[in-house]
Amino acid sequence: MTDSPHKEDMKKLQKEQREKVKSKLIDRGILIVNTGDGKGKSTAAFGTAMRAVGHGYKVAVVQFIKGNWSTGEQKIFEKFDEITHVVSGDGFTWDTQDKSKDIESAESGWQKVEALIEECRGDNPKYHLIVLDELNIALSYGYLDVKKVVDVLRDKPENLNIMVTGRGAPEELISIADTVTEMKPIKHAFDNGIQAQRGIEY
Amino acid sequence: MTDSPHKEDMKKLQKEQREKVKSKLIDRGILIVNTGDGKGKSTAAFGTAMRAVGHGYKVAVVQFIKGNWSTGEQKIFEKFDEITHVVSGDGFTWDTQDKSKDIESAESGWQKVEALIEECRGDNPKYHLIVLDELNIALSYGYLDVKKVVDVLRDKPENLNIMVTGRGAPEELISIADTVTEMKPIKHAFDNGIQAQRGIEY
C-alpha cells in the first residue's frame, strides 16, 4: 500500500483550500438565514450564540415564539453575562388563538430588535451577533411587514452578524442574506412514534 | 377585522398538535444524523450538547477531525464538568497528507467511542448524549468500516442518544437512524468573497 497518490490529492486539496482562504478579502458581519422544515435551525443558532460567547463576544437573542427554546438553553444563558435574552410573544400561535395579540407580540419584538441593532452602531458596538429566532414565522404569517424588516436588516451596522431562523423564509430575506441554509428533513423519529427526547430535542 | 376564522384554524391546529403528541408513546434514546453540504451540522450538534448540559445531563463529544471545533466551543466546554471532550485525529485530512495516519486516528477515535458507549449500559448510564462529530467523513473516506460502525450504533443502549455529523452520511447509517436532517446550502457568504467570521463560523 502506498500513500503517494493519496498524498498528491491531499496536497492539491490543501493548495486549493489555502488559495480559497487567501482570496477571501472582504471582512464584515454577515446575515445568516436557517430555514426549511428540518431540525437544527434554532439549535444551530443557539450553538452559534454559544460559540460567539466562547470567543468573549456579546450576543443578543430575540425569540419571536415563546417556548421555542426550553429550560435547557435557558439554564445555559443564565450562566453567561454576555447573553441578552429577549422573549417576544406570549406563546405558540396555536395556543394563543388570537391573531391580533400575536401581531402585537411580533411588533413589540421587532421594536426591541431595532433598538438592539442601534446599540451596535458607532465605535463601540454592543453585540457581535443578534439571533432572531423564528422571525421567519412572524414574517410568513404576515405578523410583520417583510419590506420593513428587510430594509432594517439590509442597513445593519457593517460588523454586526445577524442570524434569522424559522421555516418559510421569504424570498426577499433570502435575496439580501449572505449565507442561507435549508434544513431539510430526511426522516424524523416523531414520524415513527418516538417521543421527543428531553435534553435533545427540547 | 375579526379573529374568528383565524381562531378556528388555531384551535384545530392546537387539537391536532395535542393528539400528535399524545399518540407518540415510544420513549427511548435516538440516533440523529446531520448531513449535507450546508452549514450548521456540527453547530447544531454543539447546540444540542449544550442544551443537554443545561438539563443537567452528561455529554461526550468525540471529534473525528481536529480543528473542526474551535476555541469558541473549547472555552464553553471548559466551563462545564458535564462535558467529556475527546479529539481523535491529528488534523484535517488535507493537512496530514498521510492516509495511513488518518486511518489510525479514525480507528483510535472509534475505539474510544465504543468505550464511551459501554459506559452507558446498565442501571447507571454515564452519558445522555454522545456526539460523533464528522464521523461521516471518516466513513465516506473509507477510514472506518461502515458495517462495523453501523453494528455498534444499532446496538446502542436504549436510552442513549447519539448524534452523528458530517457530509456524505452513508446510506447504511441513514437507514438505521431515527432522525436525519440534510443541511442544504442555498447560498454562502464565502462564495461572494466574504471571509469566515470569527465567533460566528469558527
Side-chain angles (χ1 to χ4, degrees), chain A residues 132-169:
Chain A
L132 306 179
D133 188 53
E134 302 288 10
L135 174 64
N136 291 336
I137 303 284
L139 292 171
S140 63
Y141 276 41
Y143 292 171
L144 289 173
D145 182 60
V146 175
K147 194 186 171 306
K148 181 175 81 176
V149 166
V150 163
D151 283 349
V152 169
L153 297 181
R154 191 199 284 118
D155 291 344
K156 73 168 185 63
E158 193 177 311
N159 292 323
L160 176 63
N161 297 281
I162 296 181
M163 195 162 203
V164 176
T165 77
R167 57 180 69 188

mmCIF file of all heavy atoms in Angstrom, chain A residues 132-169:
data_model
loop_
_atom_site.group_PDB
_atom_site.id
_atom_site.type_symbol
_atom_site.label_atom_id
_atom_site.label_comp_id
_atom_site.label_asym_id
_atom_site.label_seq_id
_atom_site.Cartn_x
_atom_site.Cartn_y
_atom_site.Cartn_z
ATOM 1 N N LEU A 132 -32.312 36.190 15.670
ATOM 2 C CA LEU A 132 -33.748 36.492 15.577
ATOM 3 C C LEU A 132 -34.471 35.169 15.353
ATOM 4 O O LEU A 132 -34.721 34.742 14.225
ATOM 5 C CB LEU A 132 -33.996 37.484 14.433
ATOM 6 C CG LEU A 132 -33.153 38.778 14.519
ATOM 7 C CD1 LEU A 132 -33.436 39.689 13.329
ATOM 8 C CD2 LEU A 132 -33.431 39.508 15.834
ATOM 9 N N ASP A 133 -34.794 34.522 16.469
ATOM 10 C CA ASP A 133 -35.302 33.159 16.399
ATOM 11 C C ASP A 133 -36.771 33.114 16.011
ATOM 12 O O ASP A 133 -37.611 33.742 16.659
ATOM 13 C CB ASP A 133 -35.088 32.469 17.757
ATOM 14 C CG ASP A 133 -35.425 30.989 17.675
ATOM 15 O OD1 ASP A 133 -34.867 30.326 16.781
ATOM 16 O OD2 ASP A 133 -36.253 30.522 18.464
ATOM 17 N N GLU A 134 -37.056 32.368 14.963
ATOM 18 C CA GLU A 134 -38.420 32.202 14.430
ATOM 19 C C GLU A 134 -38.993 33.480 13.835
ATOM 20 O O GLU A 134 -40.210 33.591 13.656
ATOM 21 C CB GLU A 134 -39.380 31.623 15.482
ATOM 22 C CG GLU A 134 -38.943 30.271 16.036
ATOM 23 C CD GLU A 134 -39.085 29.102 15.055
ATOM 24 O OE1 GLU A 134 -39.349 29.310 13.852
ATOM 25 O OE2 GLU A 134 -38.915 27.945 15.506
ATOM 26 N N LEU A 135 -38.104 34.423 13.514
ATOM 27 C CA LEU A 135 -38.592 35.632 12.826
ATOM 28 C C LEU A 135 -39.307 35.251 11.528
ATOM 29 O O LEU A 135 -40.305 35.872 11.148
ATOM 30 C CB LEU A 135 -37.417 36.580 12.533
ATOM 31 C CG LEU A 135 -37.748 37.813 11.684
ATOM 32 C CD1 LEU A 135 -38.735 38.732 12.398
ATOM 33 C CD2 LEU A 135 -36.487 38.597 11.322
ATOM 34 N N ASN A 136 -38.795 34.216 10.855
ATOM 35 C CA ASN A 136 -39.417 33.802 9.582
ATOM 36 C C ASN A 136 -40.897 33.445 9.735
ATOM 37 O O ASN A 136 -41.684 33.652 8.817
ATOM 38 C CB ASN A 136 -38.676 32.602 8.969
ATOM 39 C CG ASN A 136 -37.295 32.990 8.481
ATOM 40 O OD1 ASN A 136 -37.038 34.161 8.185
ATOM 41 N ND2 ASN A 136 -36.394 32.018 8.400
ATOM 42 N N ILE A 137 -41.240 32.877 10.895
ATOM 43 C CA ILE A 137 -42.646 32.528 11.144
ATOM 44 C C ILE A 137 -43.491 33.804 11.209
ATOM 45 O O ILE A 137 -44.547 33.910 10.571
ATOM 46 C CB ILE A 137 -42.808 31.743 12.468
ATOM 47 C CG1 ILE A 137 -41.940 30.478 12.470
ATOM 48 C CG2 ILE A 137 -44.274 31.419 12.742
ATOM 49 C CD1 ILE A 137 -42.473 29.356 11.631
ATOM 50 N N ALA A 138 -42.982 34.786 11.967
ATOM 51 C CA ALA A 138 -43.705 36.059 12.084
ATOM 52 C C ALA A 138 -43.872 36.708 10.714
ATOM 53 O O ALA A 138 -44.900 37.323 10.421
ATOM 54 C CB ALA A 138 -42.968 36.991 13.039
ATOM 55 N N LEU A 139 -42.867 36.531 9.855
ATOM 56 C CA LEU A 139 -42.951 37.107 8.503
ATOM 57 C C LEU A 139 -43.912 36.320 7.626
ATOM 58 O O LEU A 139 -44.751 36.898 6.927
ATOM 59 C CB LEU A 139 -41.556 37.128 7.856
ATOM 60 C CG LEU A 139 -40.541 38.096 8.480
ATOM 61 C CD1 LEU A 139 -39.150 37.852 7.904
ATOM 62 C CD2 LEU A 139 -40.967 39.548 8.276
ATOM 63 N N SER A 140 -43.806 34.999 7.668
ATOM 64 C CA SER A 140 -44.626 34.215 6.739
ATOM 65 C C SER A 140 -46.100 34.195 7.161
ATOM 66 O O SER A 140 -46.983 34.015 6.327
ATOM 67 C CB SER A 140 -44.072 32.795 6.560
ATOM 68 O OG SER A 140 -44.116 32.097 7.768
ATOM 69 N N TYR A 141 -46.381 34.418 8.455
ATOM 70 C CA TYR A 141 -47.770 34.548 8.905
ATOM 71 C C TYR A 141 -48.309 35.958 8.638
ATOM 72 O O TYR A 141 -49.468 36.222 8.915
ATOM 73 C CB TYR A 141 -47.878 34.260 10.412
ATOM 74 C CG TYR A 141 -48.001 32.796 10.777
ATOM 75 C CD1 TYR A 141 -47.246 31.816 10.140
ATOM 76 C CD2 TYR A 141 -48.878 32.378 11.781
ATOM 77 C CE1 TYR A 141 -47.352 30.481 10.489
ATOM 78 C CE2 TYR A 141 -48.978 31.035 12.135
ATOM 79 C CZ TYR A 141 -48.208 30.097 11.489
ATOM 80 O OH TYR A 141 -48.304 28.780 11.851
ATOM 81 N N GLY A 142 -47.431 36.842 8.169
ATOM 82 C CA GLY A 142 -47.866 38.216 7.912
ATOM 83 C C GLY A 142 -47.997 39.053 9.174
ATOM 84 O O GLY A 142 -48.634 40.103 9.167
ATOM 85 N N TYR A 143 -47.363 38.608 10.271
ATOM 86 C CA TYR A 143 -47.439 39.367 11.517
ATOM 87 C C TYR A 143 -46.532 40.599 11.467
ATOM 88 O O TYR A 143 -46.716 41.539 12.234
ATOM 89 C CB TYR A 143 -47.039 38.496 12.714
ATOM 90 C CG TYR A 143 -48.015 37.386 13.021
ATOM 91 C CD1 TYR A 143 -47.693 36.400 13.955
ATOM 92 C CD2 TYR A 143 -49.265 37.324 12.412
ATOM 93 C CE1 TYR A 143 -48.592 35.385 14.252
ATOM 94 C CE2 TYR A 143 -50.158 36.312 12.702
ATOM 95 C CZ TYR A 143 -49.814 35.337 13.617
ATOM 96 O OH TYR A 143 -50.699 34.338 13.919
ATOM 97 N N LEU A 144 -45.516 40.526 10.603
ATOM 98 C CA LEU A 144 -44.619 41.671 10.420
ATOM 99 C C LEU A 144 -44.503 41.938 8.928
ATOM 100 O O LEU A 144 -44.573 41.006 8.118
ATOM 101 C CB LEU A 144 -43.222 41.364 10.986
ATOM 102 C CG LEU A 144 -43.054 41.289 12.492
ATOM 103 C CD1 LEU A 144 -41.653 40.797 12.838
ATOM 104 C CD2 LEU A 144 -43.302 42.658 13.135
ATOM 105 N N ASP A 145 -44.296 43.191 8.583
ATOM 106 C CA ASP A 145 -44.163 43.569 7.183
ATOM 107 C C ASP A 145 -42.766 43.178 6.664
ATOM 108 O O ASP A 145 -41.748 43.618 7.219
ATOM 109 C CB ASP A 145 -44.384 45.084 7.058
ATOM 110 C CG ASP A 145 -44.295 45.536 5.616
ATOM 111 O OD1 ASP A 145 -45.094 45.049 4.784
ATOM 112 O OD2 ASP A 145 -43.398 46.351 5.311
ATOM 113 N N VAL A 146 -42.734 42.352 5.634
ATOM 114 C CA VAL A 146 -41.451 41.848 5.125
ATOM 115 C C VAL A 146 -40.556 43.002 4.673
ATOM 116 O O VAL A 146 -39.359 43.025 4.984
ATOM 117 C CB VAL A 146 -41.660 40.840 3.965
ATOM 118 C CG1 VAL A 146 -40.325 40.429 3.361
ATOM 119 C CG2 VAL A 146 -42.411 39.599 4.458
ATOM 120 N N LYS A 147 -41.118 43.955 3.958
ATOM 121 C CA LYS A 147 -40.308 45.051 3.435
ATOM 122 C C LYS A 147 -39.650 45.838 4.574
ATOM 123 O O LYS A 147 -38.453 46.158 4.526
ATOM 124 C CB LYS A 147 -41.162 45.977 2.559
ATOM 125 C CG LYS A 147 -40.305 46.925 1.733
ATOM 126 C CD LYS A 147 -41.102 47.945 0.971
ATOM 127 C CE LYS A 147 -40.183 48.997 0.336
ATOM 128 N NZ LYS A 147 -39.267 49.660 1.279
ATOM 129 N N LYS A 148 -40.433 46.132 5.594
ATOM 130 C CA LYS A 148 -39.923 46.890 6.749
ATOM 131 C C LYS A 148 -38.740 46.153 7.394
ATOM 132 O O LYS A 148 -37.690 46.743 7.669
ATOM 133 C CB LYS A 148 -41.053 47.070 7.773
ATOM 134 C CG LYS A 148 -40.660 47.861 9.011
ATOM 135 C CD LYS A 148 -41.857 48.100 9.928
ATOM 136 C CE LYS A 148 -42.151 46.885 10.801
ATOM 137 N NZ LYS A 148 -43.249 47.117 11.780
ATOM 138 N N VAL A 149 -38.932 44.858 7.589
ATOM 139 C CA VAL A 149 -37.892 44.038 8.225
ATOM 140 C C VAL A 149 -36.643 43.953 7.346
ATOM 141 O O VAL A 149 -35.509 44.127 7.813
ATOM 142 C CB VAL A 149 -38.450 42.624 8.537
ATOM 143 C CG1 VAL A 149 -37.342 41.642 8.873
ATOM 144 C CG2 VAL A 149 -39.466 42.708 9.679
ATOM 145 N N VAL A 150 -36.859 43.693 6.059
ATOM 146 C CA VAL A 150 -35.733 43.559 5.125
ATOM 147 C C VAL A 150 -34.942 44.867 5.042
ATOM 148 O O VAL A 150 -33.703 44.859 5.013
ATOM 149 C CB VAL A 150 -36.235 43.080 3.734
ATOM 150 C CG1 VAL A 150 -35.186 43.316 2.653
ATOM 151 C CG2 VAL A 150 -36.614 41.596 3.806
ATOM 152 N N ASP A 151 -35.641 46.002 5.041
ATOM 153 C CA ASP A 151 -34.949 47.295 4.987
ATOM 154 C C ASP A 151 -34.034 47.478 6.197
ATOM 155 O O ASP A 151 -32.891 47.930 6.050
ATOM 156 C CB ASP A 151 -35.975 48.443 4.930
ATOM 157 C CG ASP A 151 -36.570 48.590 3.533
ATOM 158 O OD1 ASP A 151 -36.048 47.955 2.587
ATOM 159 O OD2 ASP A 151 -37.568 49.330 3.383
ATOM 160 N N VAL A 152 -34.517 47.115 7.369
ATOM 161 C CA VAL A 152 -33.707 47.269 8.587
ATOM 162 C C VAL A 152 -32.500 46.330 8.555
ATOM 163 O O VAL A 152 -31.379 46.715 8.868
ATOM 164 C CB VAL A 152 -34.565 47.022 9.851
ATOM 165 C CG1 VAL A 152 -33.683 46.923 11.093
ATOM 166 C CG2 VAL A 152 -35.598 48.124 10.007
ATOM 167 N N LEU A 153 -32.733 45.074 8.140
ATOM 168 C CA LEU A 153 -31.630 44.096 8.133
ATOM 169 C C LEU A 153 -30.584 44.465 7.076
ATOM 170 O O LEU A 153 -29.391 44.267 7.286
ATOM 171 C CB LEU A 153 -32.170 42.678 7.905
ATOM 172 C CG LEU A 153 -33.112 42.146 9.000
ATOM 173 C CD1 LEU A 153 -33.561 40.726 8.670
ATOM 174 C CD2 LEU A 153 -32.437 42.178 10.370
ATOM 175 N N ARG A 154 -31.026 44.998 5.953
ATOM 176 C CA ARG A 154 -30.092 45.395 4.898
ATOM 177 C C ARG A 154 -29.197 46.534 5.376
ATOM 178 O O ARG A 154 -28.030 46.609 5.002
ATOM 179 C CB ARG A 154 -30.852 45.804 3.638
ATOM 180 C CG ARG A 154 -29.942 45.959 2.439
ATOM 181 C CD ARG A 154 -30.566 46.783 1.332
ATOM 182 N NE ARG A 154 -31.560 46.031 0.580
ATOM 183 C CZ ARG A 154 -32.862 46.350 0.510
ATOM 184 N NH1 ARG A 154 -33.323 47.394 1.184
ATOM 185 N NH2 ARG A 154 -33.690 45.637 -0.214
ATOM 186 N N ASP A 155 -29.744 47.404 6.215
ATOM 187 C CA ASP A 155 -28.980 48.555 6.708
ATOM 188 C C ASP A 155 -28.299 48.287 8.044
ATOM 189 O O ASP A 155 -27.938 49.217 8.756
ATOM 190 C CB ASP A 155 -29.918 49.762 6.866
ATOM 191 C CG ASP A 155 -30.393 50.264 5.514
ATOM 192 O OD1 ASP A 155 -29.773 49.894 4.493
ATOM 193 O OD2 ASP A 155 -31.379 51.022 5.479
ATOM 194 N N LYS A 156 -28.101 47.024 8.373
ATOM 195 C CA LYS A 156 -27.452 46.699 9.657
ATOM 196 C C LYS A 156 -26.037 47.267 9.693
ATOM 197 O O LYS A 156 -25.406 47.434 8.651
ATOM 198 C CB LYS A 156 -27.414 45.178 9.856
ATOM 199 C CG LYS A 156 -26.397 44.476 8.953
ATOM 200 C CD LYS A 156 -26.170 43.034 9.373
ATOM 201 C CE LYS A 156 -25.066 42.404 8.526
ATOM 202 N NZ LYS A 156 -23.732 43.033 8.677
ATOM 203 N N PRO A 157 -25.512 47.567 10.896
ATOM 204 C CA PRO A 157 -24.119 48.001 11.003
ATOM 205 C C PRO A 157 -23.193 46.962 10.366
ATOM 206 O O PRO A 157 -23.442 45.761 10.490
ATOM 207 C CB PRO A 157 -23.882 48.084 12.515
ATOM 208 C CG PRO A 157 -25.241 48.191 13.126
ATOM 209 C CD PRO A 157 -26.173 47.476 12.215
ATOM 210 N N GLU A 158 -22.151 47.441 9.705
ATOM 211 C CA GLU A 158 -21.325 46.566 8.876
ATOM 212 C C GLU A 158 -20.746 45.361 9.629
ATOM 213 O O GLU A 158 -20.706 44.256 9.088
ATOM 214 C CB GLU A 158 -20.181 47.371 8.254
ATOM 215 C CG GLU A 158 -19.496 46.599 7.147
ATOM 216 C CD GLU A 158 -18.397 47.398 6.468
ATOM 217 O OE1 GLU A 158 -18.654 48.566 6.092
ATOM 218 O OE2 GLU A 158 -17.281 46.869 6.320
ATOM 219 N N ASN A 159 -20.311 45.570 10.848
ATOM 220 C CA ASN A 159 -19.647 44.457 11.544
ATOM 221 C C ASN A 159 -20.582 43.524 12.304
ATOM 222 O O ASN A 159 -20.155 42.495 12.815
ATOM 223 C CB ASN A 159 -18.583 45.001 12.501
ATOM 224 C CG ASN A 159 -17.440 45.614 11.727
ATOM 225 O OD1 ASN A 159 -17.053 45.106 10.668
ATOM 226 N ND2 ASN A 159 -16.926 46.735 12.209
ATOM 227 N N LEU A 160 -21.833 43.906 12.377
ATOM 228 C CA LEU A 160 -22.801 43.096 13.125
ATOM 229 C C LEU A 160 -23.185 41.841 12.335
ATOM 230 O O LEU A 160 -23.424 41.898 11.124
ATOM 231 C CB LEU A 160 -24.052 43.935 13.401
ATOM 232 C CG LEU A 160 -25.221 43.223 14.095
ATOM 233 C CD1 LEU A 160 -24.826 42.741 15.489
ATOM 234 C CD2 LEU A 160 -26.439 44.150 14.166
ATOM 235 N N ASN A 161 -23.229 40.716 13.020
ATOM 236 C CA ASN A 161 -23.734 39.466 12.443
ATOM 237 C C ASN A 161 -25.168 39.252 12.922
ATOM 238 O O ASN A 161 -25.459 39.449 14.102
ATOM 239 C CB ASN A 161 -22.875 38.285 12.894
ATOM 240 C CG ASN A 161 -21.438 38.408 12.414
ATOM 241 O OD1 ASN A 161 -21.124 38.120 11.272
ATOM 242 N ND2 ASN A 161 -20.554 38.881 13.299
ATOM 243 N N ILE A 162 -26.028 38.870 12.007
ATOM 244 C CA ILE A 162 -27.424 38.606 12.365
ATOM 245 C C ILE A 162 -27.805 37.223 11.842
ATOM 246 O O ILE A 162 -27.470 36.866 10.713
ATOM 247 C CB ILE A 162 -28.368 39.692 11.794
ATOM 248 C CG1 ILE A 162 -28.045 41.052 12.431
ATOM 249 C CG2 ILE A 162 -29.836 39.327 12.045
ATOM 250 C CD1 ILE A 162 -28.936 42.201 11.972
ATOM 251 N N MET A 163 -28.457 36.447 12.698
ATOM 252 C CA MET A 163 -28.876 35.104 12.307
ATOM 253 C C MET A 163 -30.381 34.994 12.482
ATOM 254 O O MET A 163 -30.907 35.224 13.578
ATOM 255 C CB MET A 163 -28.158 34.091 13.183
ATOM 256 C CG MET A 163 -28.210 32.681 12.664
ATOM 257 S SD MET A 163 -26.898 31.709 13.493
ATOM 258 C CE MET A 163 -26.673 30.385 12.327
ATOM 259 N N VAL A 164 -31.067 34.649 11.403
ATOM 260 C CA VAL A 164 -32.523 34.551 11.409
ATOM 261 C C VAL A 164 -32.911 33.084 11.242
ATOM 262 O O VAL A 164 -32.366 32.391 10.383
ATOM 263 C CB VAL A 164 -33.118 35.378 10.242
ATOM 264 C CG1 VAL A 164 -34.638 35.214 10.180
ATOM 265 C CG2 VAL A 164 -32.738 36.845 10.358
ATOM 266 N N THR A 165 -33.847 32.606 12.070
ATOM 267 C CA THR A 165 -34.270 31.216 11.918
ATOM 268 C C THR A 165 -35.777 31.121 11.656
ATOM 269 O O THR A 165 -36.510 32.083 11.823
ATOM 270 C CB THR A 165 -33.952 30.366 13.170
ATOM 271 O OG1 THR A 165 -34.908 30.654 14.185
ATOM 272 C CG2 THR A 165 -32.554 30.618 13.693
ATOM 273 N N GLY A 166 -36.189 29.932 11.276
ATOM 274 C CA GLY A 166 -37.610 29.641 11.087
ATOM 275 C C GLY A 166 -37.915 29.139 9.693
ATOM 276 O O GLY A 166 -37.291 29.552 8.723
ATOM 277 N N ARG A 167 -38.884 28.244 9.603
ATOM 278 C CA ARG A 167 -39.254 27.748 8.274
ATOM 279 C C ARG A 167 -39.917 28.858 7.457
ATOM 280 O O ARG A 167 -40.389 29.846 7.998
ATOM 281 C CB ARG A 167 -40.163 26.525 8.387
ATOM 282 C CG ARG A 167 -41.429 26.716 9.158
ATOM 283 C CD ARG A 167 -42.222 25.423 9.190
ATOM 284 N NE ARG A 167 -41.561 24.408 10.013
ATOM 285 C CZ ARG A 167 -41.933 23.137 10.103
ATOM 286 N NH1 ARG A 167 -42.969 22.709 9.395
ATOM 287 N NH2 ARG A 167 -41.306 22.291 10.874
ATOM 288 N N GLY A 168 -39.886 28.672 6.161
ATOM 289 C CA GLY A 168 -40.604 29.607 5.283
ATOM 290 C C GLY A 168 -39.992 30.985 5.172
ATOM 291 O O GLY A 168 -40.707 31.986 5.093
ATOM 292 N N ALA A 169 -38.645 31.085 5.162
ATOM 293 C CA ALA A 169 -38.005 32.396 4.985
ATOM 294 C C ALA A 169 -38.491 33.018 3.680
ATOM 295 O O ALA A 169 -38.454 32.377 2.635
ATOM 296 C CB ALA A 169 -36.490 32.245 4.947
#
